[in-house]
Amino acid sequence: FAVLSLIEFLVMTIVLAHWLACSYTLIGRVSGDGELAMSYPYDPAAFDPLNQSWIEKAGLVDMYDDGALAGAFRLYGAALYIALNNIFGGSCELTPGNYVEYYVQCVMMLIGSSLWSYVLGSVCGIISTLRPEVVEHRQTLDQVNALAAARRLPPALRVQLRAFFEANK
């Protein structure tokens, strides 16, 4: 069950990364003025943060010259890179090009970090219970320590009790 759960978390992360990448590509295609042009990399004076998309800002517009499928595949790769950076908290050099994309990026970071914290917490829980005999031994020692404290046993007897349970582990 532990391996199955870990595979489930991997699939969940891949699906979320795909959804985030597709949505960010869509936002990049329709935000700004809606026309993909290579004005920013060649003419910095023409840069308008309200009329550019992250695709234009990163200089990825020329991807479409090779054909629709090849360009879409390359653009999806860039968007997937951005999505994975949002999920895992990495730094990304492909930044939003306008204010709508900044808001979308913020939502992507919130969703990605929430999923990642859920996965990390669940994986830690799974790993901590992989060896039930160790968990049971630690709980027994906790109960012995609580009993010794409640009965106010002398320190030497407490050490002997713990040594007995360690020897019988």
Side-chain angles (χ1 to χ4, degrees):
F1 290 113
V3 173
L4 188 62
S5 294
L6 295 175
I7 291 171
E8 178 186 335
F9 293 135
L10 177 67
V11 169
M12 190 182 338
T13 304
I14 290 170
V15 167
L16 180 69
H18 171 73
W19 287 348
L20 291 177
C22 288
S23 64
Y24 200 59
T25 302
L26 176 67
I27 293 297
R29 293 292 310 266
V30 299
S31 65
D33 59 8
E35 295 180 15
L36 295 179
M38 290 292 289
S39 61
Y40 173 63
Y42 302 111
D43 185 12
F47 177 67
D48 181 4
L50 296 177
N51 286 327
Q52 301 291 315
S53 72
W54 70 270
I55 299 169
E56 293 168 307
K57 186 176 177 185
L60 302 176
V61 175
D62 61 347
M63 288 181 175
Y64 297 104
D65 294 339
D66 294 340
L69 186 59
F73 185 73
R74 291 181 189 151
L75 186 60
Y76 176 77
L80 185 62
Y81 173 73
I82 293 168
L84 290 172
N85 273 304
N86 283 324
I87 292 173
F88 298 122
S91 60
C92 185
E93 59 276 353
L94 299 175
T95 58
N98 59 55
Y99 298 110
V100 172
E101 293 174 355
Y102 277 105
Y103 291 119
V104 171
Q105 235 351 314
C106 290
V107 171
M108 288 173 63
M109 285 184 211
L110 287 172
I111 293 171
S113 62
S114 297
L115 173 83
W116 187 235
S117 62
Y118 170 73
V119 167
L120 282 181
S122 299
V123 168
C124 288
I126 290 169
I127 290 173
S128 68
T129 58
L130 281 178
R131 295 176 38 201
E133 67 278 357
V134 173
V135 173
E136 183 181 2
H137 175 69
R138 289 178 182 164
Q139 288 175 341
T140 302
L141 280 180
D142 287 341
Q143 291 172 347
V144 166
N145 288 334
L147 175 71
R151 301 287 180 181
R152 296 184 183 157
L153 296 178
L157 186 56
R158 291 180 187 195
V159 170
Q160 285 179 339
L161 271 173
R162 284 193 291 270
F164 171 78
F165 279 98
E166 283 293 331
N168 290 318
K169 182 171 144 182

